[in-house]
Amino acid sequence: FYLGSDELEQKLIQVIRHCLDELEFTADQLVLSGLSMGTFGALYYASKLEPHAVIVGKPLVNLGDIAVNESSLRPGGFPTSLDILYRTMGKLSDETATKLNEYFWKALELLIFREQNLSWLICVRMIMMAVPILPWRKSSKIVIIRLA
């Protein structure tokens, strides 16, 4: 999920920006994409890198909910989520799970409200957690394709 300390996140951002510079690309030419657990990183770092586009499929973004489900509803489904919750928030609880979810959504809200012409393509095969509705800007386009 590429979530960690501020230092780790900054180094990851530096590596991506360095690669853009080496290729003589701008952020307007950057497209981030992710599938399943890669969707978290694509969307989260979009809030920091301001790419031209973000393409995600089968999104897993509410890591706190995934951890809660792991401990009670779906043991063995994604045990790494408990490690992420503990390492990021310092405690395993419903309260810290909610905080972890909010951490992601606050970053994404910054991107949504900053962008003027943001277009989203979200390919959804199966969403295993509730995704909160955000107040999208009128200029944003959301395309949801539900695959059977």
Side-chain angles (χ1 to χ4, degrees):
F1 287 99
Y2 308 103
L3 184 63
S5 67
D6 288 339
E7 181 183 1
L8 173 70
E9 291 181 14
Q10 289 307 311
K11 285 184 180 181
L12 184 58
I13 291 167
Q14 287 173 354
V15 166
I16 294 170
R17 287 188 175 144
H18 174 74
C19 290
L20 289 173
D21 289 344
E22 286 288 315
L23 296 168
E24 297 181 5
F25 286 178
T26 65
D28 291 342
Q29 296 168 303
L30 177 63
V31 176
L32 297 177
S33 66
L35 181 64
S36 192
M37 68 186 236
T39 61
F40 182 94
L43 291 166
Y44 180 77
Y45 285 99
S47 72
K48 303 186 183 310
L49 293 163
E50 301 182 40
H52 171 72
V54 180
I55 303 170
V56 298
K58 196 177 175 190
L60 297 175
V61 295
N62 285 339
L63 300 182
D65 290 350
I66 295 169
V68 168
N69 289 341
E70 176 64 33
S71 64
S72 59
L73 300 175
R74 301 186 66 220
F78 197 70
T80 304
S81 62
L82 296 169
D83 295 331
I84 294 167
L85 176 60
Y86 184 75
R87 187 189 72 225
T88 307
M89 297 290 137
K91 183 179 176 185
L92 298 175
S93 70
D94 288 343
E95 180 183 332
T96 56
T98 299
K99 286 182 181 179
L100 182 56
N101 290 342
E102 290 172 357
Y103 183 78
F104 170 82
W105 289 107
K106 284 181 183 174
L108 195 59
E109 281 177 353
L110 291 175
L111 172 68
I112 291 165
F113 288 113
R114 188 171 57 227
E115 291 298 317
Q116 296 279 333
N117 298 307
L118 183 64
S119 297
W120 293 88
L121 173 61
I122 303 176
C123 299
V124 182
R125 179 169 185 171
M126 177 172 56
I127 298 177
M128 299 171 60
M129 75 291 298
V131 177
I133 304 292
L134 293 174
W136 301 96
R137 287 182 73 122
K138 289 182 182 179
S139 61
S140 298
K141 296 177 188 175
I142 304 172
V143 179
I144 298 177
I145 301 174
R146 183 168 293 277
L147 304 173

